[in-house]
Amino acid sequence: MTRTTSLERRSSHPHGRLERTLIDAETLEERVRELGAEITADYADRDLVLVCLLKGGIYFTADLSRAIDLPAAVEFVRARSYAGTESSGQVQLSWIDGLDIAGRDVLIVEDIVDTGLTLIEIWRALEEKGAASLAICALLYKEKRLAHPFPVRYIGFAIEDVFVVGYGLDYDERFRNLPHIAVFQPESARSPSR
Ligand code: IMP
């Protein structure tokens, strides 16, 4: 059952509003459990390091890592590219320097693949650090937006080309703490009568 939270009731933001639930919390939980089981089987006896892309990957990584039945390490890298609902086209990575991943099996955990630019940058940076293997696990995948095709081994959900928030995803740092994924409608895209 999807409950209406007070966060949803106060869902308007000066620049837009929550439009509808795209993926509810129960469906997210179930899919994360399936991905965890798949990764557990694929990485048995390997030295698995999950690299969480912050900030958006925080809730997904927290849940996915607990659905993986292996002694995996969890590391964090910050990637920034978005302002509002648009990518700046430039990706800034922080905290890469201290990562100890040489010779280890790295799984990049990303909230959403949009144009694919972030993945290209992080892949390059981790490859340079000598990972034994690299793969990507993305909760959401906007197939139609993909400008830089990239092999994503694990995909939670392929979604339409809409701007989403919740479960780690934000609009200008708001709505990350929604327990489900919702479509966010920016003010500029709303009809004048609404
Ligand atoms: P890409 O580099 O274009 O693939 O964008 C990836 C990053 O953009 C994600 O990690 C998010 O931080 C952000 N992003 C892309 N689409 C959305 C969205 O619909 N909602 C919130 N953030 C998004």
Side-chain angles (χ1 to χ4, degrees):
M1 193 182 70
T2 307
R3 67 201 157 90
T4 305
T5 63
S6 109
L7 180 58
E8 277 181 294
R9 284 191 292 275
R10 286 185 280 120
S11 65
S12 63
H13 176 280
H15 303 297
R17 68 185 170 88
L18 295 178
E19 195 185 68
R20 65 189 155 97
T21 297
L22 189 65
I23 307 168
D24 65 37
E26 288 79 7
T27 308
L28 282 172
E29 193 183 327
E30 198 181 310
R31 184 70 187 121
V32 170
R33 214 179 304 124
E34 285 171 4
L35 288 170
E38 220 180 301
I39 293 165
T40 301
D42 292 351
Y43 284 87
D45 304 320
R46 312 247 308 261
D47 185 10
L48 176 61
V49 183
L50 303 175
V51 174
C52 166
L53 292 197
L54 292 174
K55 297 179 188 174
I58 180 171
Y59 298 101
F60 180 39
T61 305
D63 289 342
L64 181 69
S65 58
R66 287 177 293 175
I68 296 173
D69 191 13
L70 295 171
V74 184
E75 298 284 356
F76 300 89
V77 168
R78 181 147 190 213
R80 272 181 282 194
S81 63
Y82 257 63
T85 61
E86 289 304 321
S87 171
S88 66
Q90 305 239 312
V91 182
Q92 290 172 287
L93 296 178
S94 320
W95 310 334
I96 282 269
D97 291 350
L99 281 186
D100 171 22
I101 54 160
R104 306 176 76 185
D105 296 298
V106 174
L107 184 60
I108 301 165
V109 184
E110 165 81 306
D111 52 356
I112 187 165
V113 178
D114 184 34
T115 64
L117 193 63
T118 303
L119 288 182
I120 288 188
E121 294 299 324
I122 184 85
W123 186 283
R124 247 188 234 142
L126 297 180
E127 210 169 34
E128 265 177 27
K129 291 184 101 29
S133 71
L134 272 177
I136 297 161
C137 177
L139 178 67
L140 306 175
Y141 186 81
K142 286 187 199 168
E143 219 159 9
K144 287 212 176 114
R145 293 262 305 163
L146 205 62
H148 309 277
F150 219 80
V152 178
R153 188 181 298 168
Y154 306 97
I155 296 175
F157 304 88
I159 64 164
E160 55 206 278
D161 182 12
V162 284
F163 192 82
V164 287
V165 294
Y167 199 63
L169 291 140
D170 73 307
Y171 174 78
D172 277 352
E173 297 302 328
R174 303 297 164 99
F175 304 115
R176 289 193 198 278
N177 59 328
L178 269 182
H180 57 272
I181 305 281
V183 175
F184 184 82
Q185 193 64 45
E187 188 67 40
S188 55
R190 287 163 68 180
S191 89
S193 58
R194 287 160 99 179

